[in-house]
Amino acid sequence: MTDTLPPQYNPSSIEAELYQQWLASGAFAPDGRPRRPPFVIMMPPPNVTSVLHMGHGLTYTVQDVLTRFQRMRGLATLWLPGTDHAGIATQNVVEKQLAREGLTRFDLGRTAFEQRVWDFVRTTGDTIIRQLKVIGSSADWSRQYFTLDEDLSRAVREVFVRLHDKGLIYRGKYIINWCPRCLTALSNEEAEKEEVDGRIWSLRYPLADGSGHITVATTRPETMLGDTAVAVHPADKRYRHLIGKMVRLPLADREIPIIADDAIDREFGTGAVKVTPAHDPLDFEIGQRHRLPAIDIMTPEARLAETVPEAFRGLDRFDGRKRVVQAFEALGLLEKVENHRHGVGHCYRCETVVEPRLSDQWFVKMAPLAKPALQAYRDGRLRFIPERRGEEYANWMENIRDWCISRQLWWGHRIPVWYCDACGKTIVSRTDVSRCACGSVPRQDEDVLDTWFSSWLVTFTSLGWPERTADLARYYPGHVMVTAPEILFFWVARMVMAGCEFMGDIPFHTVYLHGTVRDTQHRKMSKSLGNGIDPIEVVEKFGADALRYTVIAGMAVGTDVILDPNDLETSFAPGRNFANKLWNVGRLVLSNLAGQGDGEAGGEAGRRVVRPLAGEYPDVIHRNELGLADRWIIARCDAMVREATANYEKYRLNEAASAVYHFIWSDLADWYLEQVKPRLYGTQPGGDVARAVVARTFEIALQLLHPVMPFITDALWRRLPGRALGATVMDVAWPRPDRRASDDAAERDFGLVQELVSAVRQIRAEYGVEPGRQVALRISQRHPAFVEEEGTIARLAKVGQVSYGAPLAEPGANAVLKDGTSLYIALGELVDVRKECERLGAEFARLTQLIQTQEAKLANQNFVSRAPAEIVAREREKLASLTQQVASIAEKRQQLGCG
RNA sequence: GGGCGAAUAGCUCAGCUGGUCCAGAGCGCCUGCCUUACACGCAGGAUGUCGGGGGUUCGAAUCCCUCUUCGCCCACCA
């Protein structure tokens, strides 16, 4: 390791190579730690066909941070990755490709089409995985699965059969959400309700006996062609006399009855509802109750079907809507049109308006599965972060509805059901059925299963279930589930149910739901809005660590991450800058650990000095060899370890990151390294101690930061003296807080020195003292800290000469520290007595004000008697300090002869 | 229609179990500096009725009520 580090950190030069080394070392697999307790995070499998977007960037970074943290703490950590075949999404992509060639899937036929998808998946399917590696994901790729793998497919069939045998899977004709573009059924969760500005039309239906009409209100007039009744509330006085009468349905020219049903809301619309059992869920139920016929008026593509009058056949549903309205208008039966805002279902994949449609589908009975899953939450065994999400979960579980699991697609797990047309038998089987008991050849159900029907099982199928594998025994149940709130119901809730049903235990105890990445207008990032950020572009420009730091730092628990797609610089510069800062701290530290001036780390001198510090805090350095600043930085470092560790544990990753950030940048770089430079550079006594403290605190900072910024921290750590070839920061034990490191006196005393340096700098800036010019400083009190750090004060505040004693009478600038110490800087011609009086006067007024409120507080009997003693004592101290400061200022003002 | 969350510096947000962080960070802004680790930097500076109103308390940005404004989730009002 003879390279000299360049002054600017260049992530691309190290990231790829480092990642390869991590992979080669097997660091990501838990198998090397057979005796350690496991820690398992299941990776939400990304779609095979997807490319990385910022949402992935966020969720996988969070997971990697937790994974690395637990791994560094010594657990046998398994972050188990996989990819999802993503039925609809993938099929859509391939169908689009085909469309460009002028083909449809039907031209190819089922087998050829499936082959085509497989080819596509094999060639481009691992893009997302490659990209996950680019951002540093430390998943165990040796265990990577695909939801269509043979063993996972077997498990899917096993589950289907078991649920079927238990009576929890059934087939039936029900109203489902149908996507006329994807040509498949959707589950309730896949049909996303969106508020849209629509209209509501009031249509007159003439009574068959010619005695008048009844007016119905509808948002989908075209469906009237499939009406088989008009319903009113039984107690509605306006209509009671019409119940049982017939209506002459316009256009369709059919007679339909007026019926009474409790489900009708008298307040809404006209209080009379057209009933279309084949195209509306509520109407379907009403139809069931009243044994109404259901007329399907639409083709799968949502065009008006053969069942409607010729004039309307073949029209798209929206054109049909216009034509129906026009027809009503022409007949004088259109009563009114109003604007109406309402929720309309949209396909979660292609955003097409969903059409409720009557069809034969397979369903899972959910209520029995939900019971134990809900109980786990009620018992406190399953916990949500943020907590309020738990109530959403419980609410969904309590009102759960059956799950439509069949999809009219070709890409996915084919439903393991065979129908024998000869004897009418239905066969549900784990293995393919080629012959029915009656001797004839049955046909398999054409449909495939919902994508989520395989992904809800992955917490155990990815470990080998239904086989009793060693992995399954060791890694189930897992621990934490990290994901976006959007798929709480799609996936998380169902995984809990599947875990309870098939493994007898919940699959994880903590569900951490992080925020969403949004743009500055708080809109979700999406392709269609064009407001996305490409994480790979960010990595290329700023490095993976910068990307990771930015999303982690921007994410408080339960809040969204706001990034500006139009200004990557502003969004990611903090991360890049921090990486660069750390890099340069590293340059300074490393170039001085190996002895002076050779710019190379790991030399004999460095090795000799640093080795004794490899473990805990420097016991080897006797306390009396440590200077004030050394004791201070060790104490600060220890505080950082406590804070960062605690926050990692509590999933407050932003707090953890900021604790380390603050330590590295403010404490270590701005103060300690500046303080220690002379000892570092020179050969003066204390140099060894300084190097040891620098090396140890720097190493700890690298460790604590590694989960968030793995590349740069490992790159620097490896360059520390005495590292074996190929050793990585991931191998070292996570630092433990050390009581011996805390040092209140050092924190207080070095704090005074900092305050003093700042005060002098402030005066210099205010009076415009030239940067190069040294000033003479007089300190009222010969505090040991000032004496010890005189050199530091001199260098950092550009002070030429320090003396102690009462302020001098001649004009100069003054300041008072919190402990009452007064400072005086002779500035000669630069000082304007009047200005100085003003400054001191303002300070005097400010402090006097504070003293008044402080005195009032302490004069309050209620406060003194009721507040805890230590609070009162603290307030007294504060008052004493303020009083002292004011006295010093008053004295000085008198000296200067201020009014 | 139900349930829930958020309103703090110009911007994006921290502030976890009411009292040291006399209200913080990053970015942006102003002033001065290429000080031999870093100009992706250093030093200094400005800006807040902690959404409005009420209450509990010795004490509230922090707890309660209410109003206003945003946002989320759920729901078969056609």
Side-chain angles (χ1 to χ4, degrees):
Chain A
M1 213 173 291
T2 55
D3 53 331
T4 316
L5 306 181
Q8 268 200 3
Y9 173 53
N10 178 7
S12 57
S13 70
I14 64 158
E15 287 180 355
E17 194 192 331
L18 210 41
Y19 195 85
Q20 284 311 315
Q21 289 181 28
W22 289 337
L23 270 187
S25 71
F28 298 164
D31 308 290
R33 298 170 162 182
R35 298 219 162 76
R36 300 297 187 84
F39 184 88
V40 181
I41 298 184
M42 197 59 58
M43 177 189 289
N47 295 355
V48 248
T49 59
S50 56
V51 290
L52 201 70
H53 57 64
M54 228 28 230
H56 294 124
L58 180 126
T59 194
Y60 295 126
T61 296
V62 169
Q63 291 171 51
D64 193 49
V65 170
L66 296 175
T67 300
R68 287 176 183 270
F69 171 62
Q70 297 296 354
R71 187 184 292 127
M72 288 174 83
R73 300 186 93 199
L75 299 177
T77 303
L78 172 60
W79 182 19
L80 209 158
T83 46
D84 191 282
H85 66 282
I88 300 183
T90 307
Q91 178 157 331
N92 281 350
V93 173
V94 176
E95 286 194 294
K96 252 181 228 160
Q97 280 187 352
L98 286 177
R100 262 178 257 132
E101 300 163 27
L103 296 169
T104 70
R105 69 183 208 245
F106 301 102
D107 295 327
L108 268 70
R110 186 162 192 149
T111 315
F113 179 77
E114 275 185 81
Q115 197 48 53
R116 172 94 186 215
V117 182
W118 270 110
D119 290 345
F120 174 74
V121 165
R122 286 207 184 92
T123 50
T124 66
D126 60 340
T127 303
I128 185 101
I129 296 297
R130 280 200 308 275
Q131 292 179 320
L132 285 180
K133 292 175 180 172
V134 168
I135 65 169
S137 308
S138 66
D140 181 1
W141 305 109
S142 71
R143 285 179 165 83
Q144 186 184 333
Y145 65 87
F146 178 48
T147 49
L148 274 181
D149 282 344
E150 236 184 275
D151 42 351
L152 268 80
S153 301
R154 249 200 319 276
V156 163
R157 279 197 180 186
E158 178 69 31
V159 163
F160 188 97
V161 173
R162 282 199 199 178
L163 289 177
H164 181 266
D165 290 351
K166 263 183 109 167
L168 294 180
I169 281 187
Y170 63 92
R171 187 165 190 259
K173 219 179 180 63
Y174 295 93
I175 289 274
I176 43 81
N177 300 292
W178 179 266
C179 176
R181 206 214 60 83
C182 300
L183 296 178
T184 180
L186 299 172
S187 68
N188 291 324
E189 288 71 28
E190 287 170 324
E192 291 180 336
K193 278 282 164 67
E194 273 173 55
E195 286 278 305
V196 296
D197 290 312
R199 293 201 177 149
I200 185 160
W201 287 267
S202 296
L203 307 177
R204 286 184 182 164
Y205 285 4
L207 297 173
D209 60 12
S211 65
H213 64 261
I214 184 165
T215 304
V216 298
T218 179
T219 54
R220 295 187 296 152
E222 70 280 12
T223 60
M224 61 79 50
L225 296 168
D227 284 0
T228 52
V230 169
V232 298
H233 193 275
D236 194 331
K237 288 189 195 111
R238 293 171 296 178
Y239 301 115
R240 201 185 282 162
H241 65 286
L242 295 176
I243 295 169
K245 288 195 169 189
M246 299 300 277
V247 156
R248 182 105 214 136
L249 187 64
L251 310 184
D253 208 28
R254 282 185 278 113
E255 284 202 2
I256 57 174
I258 296 173
I259 58 171
D261 196 285
D262 288 334
I264 306 305
D265 180 352
R266 277 174 282 181
E267 308 298 315
F268 190 85
T270 59
V273 182
K274 56 190 273 316
V275 182
T276 323
H279 294 281
D280 184 275
L282 178 63
D283 292 4
F284 175 72
E285 285 173 27
I286 295 174
Q288 294 279 38
R289 283 197 284 271
H290 300 268
R291 299 175 192 275
L292 298 171
I295 305 175
D296 188 343
I297 60 157
M298 281 195 211
T299 66
E301 295 81 11
R303 292 182 176 280
L304 295 175
E306 294 293 306
T307 44
V308 307
E310 211 175 333
F312 299 97
R313 273 179 214 160
L315 289 175
D316 171 79
R317 54 186 161 160
F318 299 116
D319 294 333
R321 179 172 303 172
K322 277 183 211 143
R323 293 282 280 278
V324 166
V325 171
Q326 278 167 12
F328 266 81
E329 200 167 12
L331 292 169
L333 296 174
L334 178 62
E335 193 165 296
K336 62 179 169 180
V337 185
E338 292 162 292
N339 289 330
H340 182 60
R341 201 169 162 72
H342 60 138
V344 174
H346 292 73
C347 172
Y348 85 130
R349 275 300 154 199
C350 69
E351 300 193 353
T352 302
V353 173
V354 159
E355 197 62 38
R357 186 161 187 249
L358 191 60
S359 70
D360 260 318
Q361 304 289 343
W362 288 94
F363 296 86
V364 177
K365 212 176 257 177
M366 297 300 268
L369 297 175
K371 226 174 171 182
L374 178 60
Q375 196 54 41
Y377 169 70
R378 296 273 184 239
D379 293 348
R381 283 179 289 136
L382 181 66
R383 167 175 92 105
F384 289 82
I385 298 172
E387 273 180 41
R388 62 192 158 82
R389 296 284 178 183
E391 285 309 309
E392 280 176 28
Y393 168 90
N395 186 44
W396 186 78
M397 283 290 181
E398 279 165 356
N399 300 301
I400 199 157
R401 282 179 296 165
D402 289 355
W403 177 14
C404 174
I405 52 169
S406 43
R407 296 289 179 275
Q408 287 63 48
L409 304 171
W410 288 350
W411 178 243
H413 299 97
R414 193 140 171 201
I415 292 176
V417 175
W418 286 260
Y419 308 101
C420 179
D421 295 325
C423 70
K425 219 171 135 189
T426 296
I427 309 157
V428 177
S429 167
R430 289 175 174 81
T431 53
D432 286 1
V433 180
S434 53
R435 195 160 291 275
C436 176
C438 76
S440 50
V441 178
R443 58 180 170 86
Q444 184 170 8
D445 195 303
E446 291 294 320
D447 294 345
V448 300
L449 291 162
D450 180 7
T451 281
W452 301 98
F453 194 85
S454 55
S455 38
W456 76 320
L457 310 172
V458 295
T459 59
F460 46 90
T461 54
S462 67
L463 295 168
W465 188 92
E467 306 302 319
R468 291 181 149 152
T469 60
D471 266 11
L472 192 61
R474 179 148 165 82
Y475 300 115
Y476 192 97
H479 300 80
V480 184
M481 186 67 234
V482 177
T483 190
E486 290 101 85
I487 54 175
L488 177 58
F489 307 131
F490 269 120
W491 193 49
V492 178
R494 288 178 186 153
M495 274 192 295
V496 179
M497 292 189 273
C500 293
E501 174 68 17
F502 300 104
M503 295 296 295
D505 195 2
I506 52 174
F508 33 73
H509 55 63
T510 299
V511 177
Y512 176 51
L513 296 162
H514 56 244
T516 309
V517 186
R518 295 174 185 279
D519 69 10
T520 47
Q521 293 166 60
H522 291 205
R523 299 177 307 181
K524 217 185 262 189
M525 288 192 174
S526 77
K527 243 186 231 166
S528 52
L529 283 174
N531 60 347
I533 293 177
D534 176 9
I536 300 303
E537 182 189 344
V538 173
V539 169
E540 280 163 6
K541 285 195 173 129
F542 307 101
D545 289 331
L547 171 82
R548 297 167 59 110
Y549 175 81
T550 302
V551 299
I552 295 296
M555 188 191 55
V557 169
T559 67
D560 290 331
V561 177
I562 312 295
L563 295 171
D564 188 350
N566 299 314
D567 190 356
L568 297 185
E569 180 70 20
T570 297
S571 298
F572 295 96
R576 178 201 55 191
N577 295 354
F578 182 41
N580 195 56
K581 184 71 183 183
L582 182 59
W583 184 253
N584 278 288
V585 168
R587 293 214 307 148
L588 177 67
V589 170
L590 292 171
S591 64
N592 287 291
L593 285 185
Q596 207 181 353
D598 63 3
E600 180 193 330
E604 272 313 303
R607 205 163 305 205
R608 194 181 60 242
V609 171
V610 174
R611 186 178 295 132
L613 294 175
E616 296 298 320
Y617 278 99
D619 281 336
V620 279
I621 298 179
H622 302 301
R623 296 292 287 202
N624 56 16
E625 279 186 45
L626 292 174
L628 173 58
D630 304 325
R631 290 192 288 130
W632 174 79
I633 195 65
I634 288 171
R636 297 298 312 151
C637 186
D638 188 60
M640 181 271 287
V641 169
R642 281 172 211 280
E643 197 182 334
T645 304
N647 282 310
Y648 275 125
E649 279 172 345
K650 288 188 282 189
Y651 302 91
R652 306 175 71 90
L653 305 183
N654 62 324
E655 300 278 331
S658 105
V660 189
Y661 180 97
H662 181 265
F663 173 75
I664 290 175
W665 204 312
S666 307
D667 294 338
L668 189 63
D670 290 347
W671 288 100
Y672 186 67
L673 291 179
E674 292 303 332
Q675 193 278 350
V676 88
K677 270 177 182 173
R679 282 189 287 164
L680 224 45
Y681 292 151
T683 49
Q684 51 183 288
D688 286 357
V689 172
R691 275 185 276 276
V693 175
V694 164
R696 184 63 188 137
T697 50
F698 182 59
E699 175 179 20
I700 290 174
L702 291 177
Q703 283 182 268
L704 270 288
L705 188 59
H706 181 261
V708 179
M709 303 178 87
F711 292 104
I712 188 171
T713 48
D714 203 27
L716 290 172
W717 188 90
R718 288 161 178 240
R719 288 177 164 83
L720 285 171
R723 299 292 171 229
L725 196 65
T728 122
V729 63
M730 294 180 280
D731 300 333
V732 219
W734 191 257
R736 273 190 303 237
D738 186 338
R739 246 181 313 118
R740 295 163 305 170
S742 59
D743 192 331
D744 292 347
E747 296 224 39
R748 188 190 59 228
D749 289 353
F750 196 76
L752 266 180
V753 173
Q754 290 177 303
E755 201 192 340
L756 183 149
V757 169
S758 295
V760 177
R761 283 169 170 170
Q762 196 178 331
I763 286 170
R764 294 181 61 107
E766 211 161 314
Y767 279 100
V769 179
E770 296 132 54
R773 179 169 155 187
Q774 299 203 315
V775 296
L777 169 66
R778 197 163 170 81
I779 309 173
S780 65
Q781 182 204 173
R782 202 182 175 84
H783 192 290
F786 300 145
V787 177
E788 181 175 344
E789 296 297 339
E790 221 174 87
T792 306
I793 292 166
R795 268 183 312 111
L796 300 192
K798 289 259 167 53
V799 168
Q801 186 201 336
V802 181
S803 63
Y804 299 91
L808 303 180
E810 63 217 59
N814 300 271
V816 175
L817 305 186
K818 284 206 187 92
D819 75 334
T821 303
S822 69
L823 309 180
Y824 164 84
I825 298 171
L827 288 173
E829 80 286 358
L830 284 177
V831 166
D832 174 346
V833 176
R834 214 173 40 195
K835 186 182 169 196
E836 185 63 10
C837 282
E838 249 171 55
R839 275 184 69 234
L840 293 175
E843 187 62 5
F844 184 85
R846 190 183 70 90
L847 291 170
T848 310
Q849 182 63 45
L850 285 175
I851 286 176
Q852 273 174 16
T853 52
Q854 204 63 17
E855 278 174 339
K857 200 178 214 177
L858 286 163
N860 183 341
Q861 268 315 307
N862 279 327
F863 172 69
V864 178
S865 58
R866 294 196 204 183
E870 44 178 279
I871 300 286
V872 177
R874 204 183 300 163
E875 297 300 329
R876 287 226 166 85
E877 266 173 48
K878 206 154 113 189
L879 178 60
S881 149
L882 289 170
T883 311
Q884 210 163 1
Q885 290 178 56
V886 159
S888 298
I889 288 174
E891 188 188 343
K892 190 62 205 179
R893 294 195 51 177
Q894 200 176 9
Q895 230 179 44
L896 288 174
C898 305

